[in-house]
C-alpha cells in the first residue's frame, strides 16, 4: 500500500497541495476581479435591450395612432356616410388584428357606431361617453391614449382620435381599442440572452406585456420590484447594477433586472436576465480553468514522478550500498555519478566503508590476541569447574585430593601436581596425593624414593625445606631443584635422580590457605618445555585457592563426621539409660508433642511408645493437683529462652493416662539447647502410688490403733487419777512415785495418741479448724501461765513479754492455736536446761501478728533445721535424749499454722538457744466463723 | 518514459502509487467541475431520460381536428416530439355524446399526464371523468367557457385551464354579417341541437342579436341524424331569409348535406365551422381559426407539462377570427355579396 513516509509520496502530495491550492486561489481572485466588470457589461446589454423594446412598444402604439389618424383624415371620416364608415372600420379590424373594437362618437360623445371583432352590438347598447376622460381630452384636439385597463384579465388601451370636418370643426372622435395581449408576440422576440426577456409594466405597476401571456393575464402587480419602482417613480433608467436590482421572479429564478421608462405612456420597460445565465460566460471560463488546473495537476504529478525518480534512484542505490556495507561487505563501493550532494554522500559512504574496513582488520588482530588469552583462561575455568564438580562428588579428603591433582595434569596441562596436608597434630606435613599420569618416568621416580609416598612426613620444624617455608611464610615459592623440597626426607642424590629422570624445570609451591589458616600445600611440577605466562601463574594461584577451600570443607566434614559418631554413641548410651531407669521420662518438643517416651513411662501410662510419640502431651497424660487439673502450660510450659534447669516440681500429683491412675512426683526440666533441637522440656515422673498405698495403710493402722488405744487410756487415766486421789495417804513415797510415773506415762501416751490421730486427720485432709476473732494477747498470756508450774519444776524462767503496742484481734481457732503455742512452749521447756529462760513475745508486723517463743536452750544443729517440721522427726544427739516428744508436735503445729494462712519458722544457734516464731493474719483480713479443712 | 511499468519497488513509485495520484487529480478535477457547473447552469442531464409525457386528446367530432393539428404544430414549435418526449392518445367519438363520456372515463382511468379536451362537450365530459383525480386538464376551443363553471379566469379552479374561443358570442357577429349580405332579411332560421351543453346560452345570444338587427329567428331543433332530412324539409318549406348553424358536431358531421339542401332551397347560410364552411357549400363562414386556437393551447399544454399548476395559468381566449365567402355560390344563388363584405373577407371562393 501507500507509503506515506516515502519521499516520493510526500513530494507528490505536497506539490499537489501547493500547486492545487495556488491555482484555486488564483481562480478565486480572478473571479472576484472579473465579476463586477461582467455585471457592468451585462447591465449595458440589458439597458440596450430595454431601449430596443421601448422602441418596439412605441412603434406598436404610436404607429397605430398615426395610421388611424392618417386614415381618418384622408377619408374625411366625418363626412362619410354611415355604411362607408362601417366599411372602413371593418377594414381596419380586418387588417389589424390587434384592434378589437372601434367606436365612433359624435361631438356630443354619443356612440354612433360600435363594431367589435367578436360580437355584434345593437344600437340599444350604444352609450354616451361625453364625460369620459378620453373623450374630453380628445375633444380638445389631440389624439389621446388611455391608461391601460383590463377586461376579462386582458389588458387593453384605447386610442382616441378627434375628427374634424372640412371646416376644421370638431365632429366627434374615433376610438380604437387595442388588445395589448398581442404584445407578448412582440416581446417574445426581444431577448437579451437565451433565457432573458423584456416585459412592460403599466403606470400602476401592473404587468401589461410579457413573453408569457399567462403572466399578463394574471394582472400581476410588480411595482415592488426595485427597478420597476424606480423607473415608474422617477421615469429614469435603472441600470440594475445595484444589489437590490436582483430578485427572485415568478418562476423562482434569481434574475438581474434593468429598465427604462416609456415616458409618453408612463410605463416601464424592463429586462430580466437569469443570474446564472448572466455569468454563464464566467462559468465557462471557470470550467476552462478547472480543466487547466486538472491538466496542470496532472503534469505536476508526472513531473513529480519523474523528478522524484531522479532523486530516489540514487537514494535507493545509496540505501542498497549502505545495506551491503552494513551486512559486512566492506569492499563494496558506491558508483553514483549525479554530480550533486548525493554523489558527495556516496563518496562519504565509500570513505566510511574504507575506514570501517581498516578498523575491522585491526579489531580482528586484537580479537586473535584476546582469543589466545581467553583459551588460557578457559583452561583455568575448565579446571575450576571440574574442581567444583569434584568438590560436589566427594568430601573424602584423600579422594578429593587425588581428583584435584589429577586435574592439574589433565586440565591445567602441567607435568603433575602434589598435595600435602598438615597432620591433625600440627607436627608434620604429609603427602596425600600426586597426579596419576601416563608418564612412566613418574612411576619410576616413585620407585627411586626409599619411603612410600603417603608415608613421607616432613616435620614442620625443618626450616630449610621449601614446602615448610611456603607454609610458614604463607607465600608462593618457586624452586628449580627438587631437593629443596625434599630436605629432611631424602638425601640430595635421590632428589637429583628424580630431577634428571623427570626433566623438571621448576616447581611452584602454593600454600593452601583458607580462612587465614594454612592447611597444607599444593605444588605444580613443570617440564623444561613449558613457558610460564602470567596467565599460568594466575591459574596456579586460583587453583590453589579453590583447592584450599575444597579441602578445608572436606576436613571440616571429617570433623563433623567424627562428632556425629560421638553424638550417636552418646544418644545410644542415653537411650539405654532411659530405658533402664525406673522413673518415667517423657520428652516433648516445642509444641508439647511427645518425642521421648521411655519404658518406665510406657509402663506408668500403659501407653506404648508408638501411641505416645507425636501426640500432644495432654492427650497422653492428665495431671491433677487434688481435684484441679494442672494445665499443660503449668507443668510443661514452652519457654523459648536459654533457661536451663527445673521449671516445675510437684509431689503427690495424680496422673490419669488411658485406663490407668497413679500418683507421681513430677519434675519438669529444660535444657538450654532445647530451642535449637526442638526439645521443649523433659518430664520425670516418679511413681509413688505404691508408697502412697503403704502410707495410707500406715495411717489407717495408726488411726485405728490410736482410736483403739484412746478408750482404754482414758479409762486408765481416769481410774488412776481417782485411785491416786482417793488413796493418796495410803502410799509410801516409793509407791506414790510409781503411781505418779504411771500417771505421767498415761498422759504422754494420751498425748501421743491424740497427736497420732491429728496426724492421721491432717494426712487424710479431715483436720478442720474453726476460725473466730480472738484476743490473742490475753489467750497467749493465759497459756503461758498454765506452764508456769512446769517451768518452776524445771527451774526455768518462763516470761510472757507484754507487747509494746496494742495488738489487734486475730482470726484463729482458739483451741488449735492454743495447742501450737503450748507445743512450742512445751518444747522450749523440754530443751532448755535449768536456770535458762523461755520468753514469749507478741508483735504486729504488717498485717500479721507474730508470736515468738524464745529459749536459751541447746539450739538445733543446721543439718536438722530442714527436717524440723516433718513428722516423726526428732533431733538426734543431745536433744533427743532430753526430750520426751513424739516427733509429731512441730509437724502438727505447722499444719495448723498453714491452715491459718500463717507461717512458722525457726532461728537457732547451737548452745545459744532457739526462737520459734509463727505469724497469724489479723482479724480484718479473714472472715468470721470460717471453717477450713486441710 | 517514466510511465512504463516499474518492475521493482526500489525504482521509485509503484504502479499503485501512480494510479492513486491520477485518481487524486481526477477527484480534484471532478470537484472543480461540480463546483462550477452547479453554480452556472440549470442544464438537465442529457443522459438522464425522463419518460415521455402522455397526453390524451379528446375531441367531440371531426370538427375539432383542425385544432388538434394546431396543438401538434404548437407543441412541435415548443420542442416536443411525439414518441420522444410526448405520446399522444387522440380519441374522437365522432359526435356521439354518450361515447364522448365513455371515452372521457376511459382516458381518465388510463391516468395520462395531461388531458386535452377539445370543444365544450369534450371538456364537460372530461371534467366529469377526472373528478377525484389530480390529472391536469387543458381545454382548447371551448365556445362557452362560462358553461365550465370556472369562476375566476385568472386563477381557474379545478386543476383546469385552457383556451376559449367565445364562439357562442360570435353568433351575433355571424348574424350581423348574414344580415349585411341580405339587408332585406326578416327571418333567420337557426339550426340548433337542444341537447347541446350550451343550448340555452346559444339561444339567448341569437335572440339578443336578432333583436338588435330586427330579425325574427326560428330555431330548428336537430338532435339526431335521423331527424336531419325532416328538419331540412321543414326549413325549405318555411323558407327563412337565411340560415345559421350553431357550434354542434352533428351539424359539422352533416355539413355537406345541410349546405346542399339550403342551396337547393336558395337560402343563404352562414356556418361556424372553419373547415367545412364555404368548402362544404355554405355561403359564408365567420369564426375562430381553430388551428391558431390549437397552437395557443399548445403553449398552455407546455406549461402544464413543465409542472406548472393549471390553477396558476389564466384562461386565455382566441381572438383570431376569419371571414370566408363563397362568391361563386352566391352568384349561382343570385345573392349579391356587398363590396364591404368582400373587402373584409379573408378568403373568397
Amino acid at each position: 500500500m501507500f507509503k506515506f513516509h516515502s519521499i516520493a509520496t510526500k513530494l507528490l502530495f505536497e506539490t499537489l497541495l501547493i500547486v492545487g491550492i495556488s491555482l484555486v486561489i488564483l481562480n478565486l481572485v480572478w473571479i472576484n476581479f472579473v465579476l463586477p466588470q461582467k455585471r457592468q457589461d451585462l447591465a449595458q446589454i440589458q439597458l440596450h435591450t430595454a431601449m430596443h423594446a421601448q422602441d418596439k412598444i412605441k412603434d406598436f402604439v404610436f404607429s397605430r395612432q398615426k395610421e388611424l389618424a392618417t386614415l381618418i383624415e384622408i377619408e374625411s371620416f366625418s363626412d362619410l356616410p354611415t355604411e362607408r364608415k362601417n366599411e372602413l372600420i371593418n377594414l381596419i379590424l380586418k387588417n389589424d388584428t390587434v384592434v378589437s373594437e372601434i367606436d365612433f362618437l359624435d361631438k356630443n360623445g354619443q356612440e354612433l357606431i360600435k363594431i367589435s371583432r367578436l360580437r355584434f352590438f345593437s344600437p340599444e347598447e350604444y352609450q354616451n361617453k361625453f364625460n369620459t376622460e378620453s373623450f374630453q381630452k380628445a375633444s380638445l384636439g389631440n389624439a389621446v391614449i388611455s391608461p391601460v385597463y383590463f377586461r376579462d384579465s386582458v389588458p387593453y388601451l384605447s386610442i382616441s382620435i378627434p375628427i374634424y370636418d372640412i371646416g376644421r370643426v370638431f365632429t366627434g372622435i374615433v376610438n380604437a381599442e387595442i388588445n395589448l395581449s398581442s404584445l407578448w408576440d412582440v416581446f417574445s422576440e426581444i431577448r437579451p440572452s437565451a433565457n432573458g426577456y423584456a416585459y412592460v409594466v403599466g403606470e400602476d405597476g401592473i404587468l401589461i406585456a410579457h413573453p408569457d401571456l399567462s403572466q399578463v393575464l394574471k394582472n400581476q402587480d410588480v411595482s415592488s420590484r426595485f427597478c420597476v419602482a424606480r423607473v415608474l417613480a422617477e421615469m429614469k433608467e435603472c441600470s440594475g447594477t445595484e444589489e437590490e436590482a436582483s430578485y427572485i421572479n415568478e418562476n423562482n429564478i434569481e434574475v438581474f433586472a434593468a429598465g427604462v421608462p416609456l415616458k409618453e405612456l408612463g410605463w416601464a420597460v424592463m429586462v430580466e436576465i437569469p443570474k446564472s445565465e448572466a455569468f454563464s460566460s464566467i462559468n465557462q471560463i471557470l470550467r476552462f480553468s478547472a480543466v487547466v488546473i486538472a491538466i496542470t495537476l496532472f503534469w505536476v504529478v508526472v513531473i513529480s514522478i519523474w523528478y522524484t525518480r531522479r532523486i530516489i534512484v540514487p537514494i535507493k542505490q545509496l540505501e542498497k550500498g549502505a545495506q551491503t556495507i552494513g551486512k559486512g561487505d566492506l569492499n563494496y563501493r558506491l558508483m553514483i555519478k549525479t554530480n550533486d550532494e548525493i554523489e558527495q554522500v556516496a563518496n562519504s559512504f565509500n570513505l566510511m566503508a574504507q575506514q570501517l574496513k581498516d578498523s575491522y582488520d585491526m579489531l580482528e588482530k586484537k580479537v586473535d590476541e584476546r582469543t589466545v588469552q581467553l583459551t588460557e583462561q578457559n583452561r583455568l575455568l575448565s579446571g575450576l569447574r571440574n574442581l567444583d564438580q569434584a568438590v560436589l562428588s566427594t568430601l573424602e579428603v584423600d579422594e578429593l585430593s587425588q581428583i584435584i591433582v589429577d586435574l592439574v595434569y589433565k586440565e591445567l596441562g602441567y607435568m603433575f601436581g602434589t598435595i600435602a596436608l598438615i597432620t591433625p597434630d600440627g607436627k608434620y606435613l604429609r603427602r596425600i596425593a600426586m597426579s596419576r599420569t601416563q608418564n612412566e618416568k613418574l612411576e619410576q621416580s616413585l620407585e627411586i624414593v626409599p619411603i612410600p609416598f603417603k608415608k613421607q612426613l616432613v616435620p614442620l620444624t625443618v626450616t630449610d625445606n621449601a614446602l615448610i617455608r611456603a607454609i610458614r611464610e604463607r607465600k608462593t615459592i618457586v624452586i628449580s631443584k627438587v631437593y629443596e623440597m625434599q630436605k629432611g626426607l631424602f638425601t640430595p642424590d635421590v632428589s637429583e635422580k628424580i630431577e634428571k629422570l623427570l626433566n623438571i624445570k621448576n616447581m611452584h609451591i602454593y600454600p593452601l590457605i583458607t580462612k587465614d589458616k594454612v592447611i597444607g600445600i599444593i605444588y605444580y611440577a613443570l617440564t623444561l618445555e613449558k613457558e610460564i605466562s602470567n596467565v599460568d601463574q594466575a591459574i596456579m594461584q586460583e587453583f590453589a585457592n579453590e583447592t584450599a577451600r575444597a579441602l578445608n570443607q572436606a576436613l571440616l566434614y571429617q570433623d563433623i563426621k567424627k562428632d556425629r559418631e560421638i553424638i550417636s554413641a552418646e544418644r545410644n548410651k542415653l537411650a539405654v539409660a532411659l530405658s533402664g531407669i525406673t522413673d518415667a521420662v517423657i520428652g516433648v518438643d516445642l509444641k508439647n508433642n511427645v518425642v521421648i517416651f521411655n519404658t518406665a513411662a510406657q509402663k506408668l501410662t500403659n501407653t506404648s511408645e508408638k501411641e505416645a510419640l507425636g501426640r500432644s502431651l495432654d492427650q497422653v497424660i492428665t495431671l491433677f493437683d487434688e481435684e484441679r487439673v494442672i494445665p499443660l502450660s503449668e507443668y510443661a510450659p514452652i519457654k523459648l529462652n536459654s533457661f536451663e534447669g527445673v521449671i516445675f516440681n510437684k509431689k503427690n500429683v495424680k496422673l490419669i493416662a488411658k485406663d490407668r491412675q497413679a500418683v507421681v512426683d513430677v519434675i519438669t526440666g529444660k535444657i538450654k539447647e532445647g530451642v535449637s533441637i526442638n526439645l521443649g522440656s523433659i518430664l520425670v515422673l516418679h511413681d509413688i502410688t505404691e508408697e502412697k498405698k503403704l502410707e495410707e495403710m500406715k495411717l489407717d493402722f495408726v488411726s485405728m490403733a490410736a482410736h483403739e488405744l484412746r478408750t482404754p487410756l482414758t479409762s486408765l487415766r481416769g481410774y488412776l487419777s481417782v485411785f491416786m486421789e482417793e488413796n493418796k495417804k495410803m502410799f509410801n513415797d516409793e509407791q506414790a512415785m510409781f503411781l505418779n510415773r504411771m500417771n505421767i506415762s498415761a498422759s504422754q501416751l494420751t498425748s501421743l495418741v491424740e497427736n497420732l490421730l491429728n496426724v492421721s486427720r491432717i494426712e487424710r485432709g479431715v483436720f478442720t479448724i474453726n476460725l473466730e476473732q480472738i484476743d490473742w494477747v490475753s489467750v497467749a498470756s493465759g497459756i503461758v501461765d498454765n506452764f508456769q508450774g512446769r517451768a518452776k519444776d524445771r527451774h526455768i524462767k518462763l516470761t510472757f513479754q507484754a507487747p509494746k503496742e496494742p495488738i489487734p484481734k486475730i482470726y484463729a481457732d482458739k483451741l488449735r492455736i492454743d495447742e501450737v503455742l503450748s507445743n512450742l512452749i512445751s518444747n522450749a521447756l523440754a530443751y532448755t536446761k535449768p536456770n535458762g529462760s523461755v520468753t514469749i513475745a507478741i508483735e504486729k508486723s504488717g498485717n500479721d501478728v507474730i508470736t515468738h517463743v524464745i529459749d536459751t536452750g541447746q539450739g538445733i544443729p543446721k543439718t536438722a533445721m530442714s527436717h524440723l517440721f516433718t513428722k516423726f522427726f526428732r533431733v538426734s544427739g543431745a536433744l533427743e535424749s532430753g526430750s520426751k516428744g513424739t516427733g509429731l508436735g512441730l509437724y502438727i503445729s505447722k499444719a495448723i499454722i498453714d491452715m491459718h494462712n500463717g507461717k512458722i519458722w525457726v532461728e537457732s544457734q547451737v548452745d545459744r538457744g532457739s526462737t520459734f516464731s509463727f505469724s497469724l493474719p489479723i482479724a480484718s483480713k479473714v472472715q468470721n466463723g470460717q471453717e477450713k479443712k486441710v | 518514459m517514466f510511465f512504463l511499468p516499474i518492475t521493482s519497488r526500489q525504482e521509485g513509485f509503484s504502479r499503485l502509487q501512480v494510479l492513486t495520484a491520477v485518481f487524486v487529480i481526477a477527484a480534484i478535477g471532478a470537484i472543480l467541475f461540480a463546483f462550477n457547473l452547479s453554480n452556472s447552469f440549470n442544464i438537465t442531464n442529457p443522459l438522464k431520460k425522463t419518460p415521455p409525457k402522455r397526453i390524451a386528446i379528446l375531441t367531440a367530432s371531426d370538427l375539432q381536428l383542425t385544432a388538434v393539428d394546431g396543438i401538434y404544430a404548437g407543441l412541435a414549435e415548443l420542442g416536443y416530439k411525439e414518441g420522444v418526449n410526448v405520446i399522444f392518445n387522440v380519441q374522437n367519438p365522432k359526435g356521439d355524446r354518450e361515447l364522448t363520456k365513455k371515452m372521457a372515463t376511459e382516458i381518465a382511468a388510463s391516468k395520462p399526464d395531461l388531458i386535452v379536451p377539445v370543444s365544450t362537450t369534450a371538456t364537460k365530459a372530461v371534467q366529469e371523468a377526472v373528478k377525484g383525480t389530480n390529472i391536469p386538464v387543458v381545454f382548447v376551443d371551448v365556445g362557452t367557457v362560462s358553461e365550465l363553471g370556472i369562476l375566476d379566469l385568472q386563477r381557474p379552479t379545478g386543476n383546469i385551464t385552457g383556451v376559449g374561443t367565445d364562439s357562442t358570442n360570435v353568433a351575433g357577429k355571424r348574424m350581423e354579417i348574414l344580415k349585411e349580405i341580405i339587408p332585406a332579411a326578416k327571418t333567420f332560421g337557426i339550426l340548433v341541437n337542444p341537447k347541446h351543453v350550451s343550448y340555452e346560452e346559444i339561444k339567448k345570444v341569437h335572440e339578443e342579436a336578432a333583436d338588435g338587427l330586427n330579425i325574427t329567428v326560428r330555431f330548428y331543433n336537430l338532435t339526431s341524424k335521423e331527424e336531419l332530412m325532416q328538419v331540412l324539409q321543414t326549413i325549405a318549406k318555411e323558407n327563412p331569409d337565411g340560415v345559421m348553424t350553431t357550434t354542434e358536431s352533428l351539424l359539422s358531421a352533416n355539413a355537406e348535406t345541410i349546405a346542399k339542401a339550403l342551396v337547393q332551397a336558395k337560402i343563404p347560410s352562414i356556418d361556424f365551422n372553419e373547415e367545412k364552411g364555404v368548402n362544404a357549400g355554405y355561403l359564408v363562414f365567420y369564426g375562430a381559426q381553430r388551428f391558431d386556437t390549437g397552437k395557443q393551447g399548445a403553449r398552455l399544454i407546455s406549461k402544464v407539462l413543465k409542472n406548472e399548476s393549471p390553477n396558476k395559468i389564466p384562461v386565455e381566449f382566441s381572438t383570431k377570427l376569419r371571414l370566408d365567402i363563397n362568391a361563386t355560390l352566391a352568384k349561382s344563388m343570385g345573392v349579391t355579396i356587398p363590396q364591404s363584405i368582400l373587402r373584409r373577407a379573408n378568403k373568397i371562393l
Side-chain angles (χ1 to χ4, degrees), chain A residues 193-209:
Chain A
S193 65
N195 292 296
Y197 50 81
Y199 62 87
V200 182
V201 183
E203 55 192 346
D204 49 0
I206 308 289
L207 197 65
I208 55 175

Side-chain angles (χ1 to χ4, degrees), chain A residues 626-688:
Chain A
E626 299 286 332
E627 297 304 317
R628 181 179 72 95
V629 175
I630 306 173
L632 185 60
S633 57
E634 194 178 315
Y635 67 84
I638 296 166
K639 290 190 173 167
L640 295 176
N641 52 24
S642 58
F643 173 83
E644 186 170 54
V646 174
I647 49 176
F648 181 79
N649 186 354
K650 199 162 186 75
K651 290 185 188 306
N652 285 330
V653 173
K654 194 164 89 185
L655 173 145
I656 293 178
K658 222 172 173 186
D659 51 357
R660 202 173 175 309
Q661 277 195 28
V663 180
V664 292
D665 291 341
V666 181
I667 296 174
T668 306
K670 185 178 176 296
I671 58 168
K672 64 181 176 189
E673 294 87 357
V675 175
S676 57
I677 63 166
N678 192 25
L679 183 65
S681 47
I682 296 169
L683 285 84
V684 178
L685 308 169
H686 178 60
D687 189 353
I688 54 164

Side-chain angles (χ1 to χ4, degrees), chain B residues 287-298:
Chain B
Q289 299 182 47
R290 290 176 197 275
F291 187 83
D292 288 343
T293 310
K295 275 182 80 173
Q296 196 173 343

Side-chain angles (χ1 to χ4, degrees), chain B residues 279-293:
Chain B
N279 303 322
Y282 289 106
L283 189 68
V284 184
F285 156 76
Y286 185 73
Q289 299 182 47
R290 290 176 197 275
F291 187 83
D292 288 343
T293 310

